[in-house]
Amino acid sequence: MKNIYLNIYKPNSINLKKAKQNIENNNVIGIPTETVYGLAGNAYSYQAIKKIYVLKKRPKKNPLIIHYDNIKKLKKDAFINPGFLKLYKKFCPGPLTFILKKRKDSKICSLANGNLNTLAVRFPSHSTTKKILKKLNFPLAMPSANKSSALSPISALDVIDEFGKSINFIIDGGKSKIGLESTVINLVENIKITRPGAISKKELVKVLGKKISTVKKINKIYSPGMLKKHYSPGIPVTLNCKTASNKDAFIVFGKKYKKGKNIFNLSYKGDLKEAAKNLYKTMRKIKNLNFKKIKVVKIPNRNIGIAINDRLLKASNK
Ligand code: TXA
Ligand code: MG
């Protein structure tokens, strides 16, 4: 019998070396991060970046996040500023992406940042990702390892669920701890949050000591990647429901809901962090169980609940 898991590798030293070789040969591979799994390629290589866009069927105007393991490497590609340093000290490595001004002499392939004069950069905290980055003398462009507009993967098996055999090397680093993509903060000119995540606006304001606005509407200039429909399980999703028929998958939150074959509780104990971790996993499960519709209860809009609601809203867009 054919082993469908042949392309999943444990993060031991031999396999991390293979990961490095794959990346140096311009292959793109699946690797874990604390937020979601990423599709990693050499950010300086046109060939690797092109592969990422083709595999994901991603619109060319939607730029990628560039991942680093230290500031020294970042300084070759982007200009840092005092706000960046404050946030970096407090939250990095971790689930925070910064939009900074790109250096003209940066070697980042311009396809990776959609030909913009800005760069999205992140320092992931997952130990496996850090080890891989440390071995390389270039940064990694790494979008979430899913097809454009589909659900993000939070495990190595999810990457296979998205790409099948077309990704032939995936490092299994366990389930992503956070389960939702990083918060994106734009530090060029007016400070803005363009994607909510585990690190909340409140925490960012506290550290920056400045007001921050949140970009709700799709805005060409600030975040070309804020596609209206995103994070989609491929079936209709309806929000703020109180009930659902037995035929529909019903995503609930908290202990007041009964158990049932069609009922999927994001967190029985009403913990928003747990709910965030379970969101994509639950939607992927529902999709694979062939439900035709998803109904979701109202999720509290505080802390990481804001990021959960952002993803649910985009999943519900037609
Ligand atoms: O948690 C994460 O950030 C994951 C893991 C793998 O690191 N990555 C991720 O990448 O979510 P992706 O490609 O799925 O999302 C990148 C987001 C998009 O919304 C994109 O538009 C935005 O970052 N972005 C990238 N470069 C940008 C730029 N120069 N200006 C504004 N937004 C940018
Ligand atoms: Mg994504």
Side-chain angles (χ1 to χ4, degrees), residues 56 144 146 152 181 230:
K56 280 186 63 92
S144 48
N146 52 277
S152 297
E181 301 82 353
H230 213 330

Side-chain angles (χ1 to χ4, degrees), residues 236-251:
V237 177
T238 314
L239 308 182
N240 302 324
C241 299
K242 290 205 167 102
T243 55
S245 93
N246 288 342
K247 282 194 294 181
D248 301 337
F250 192 27
I251 297 183

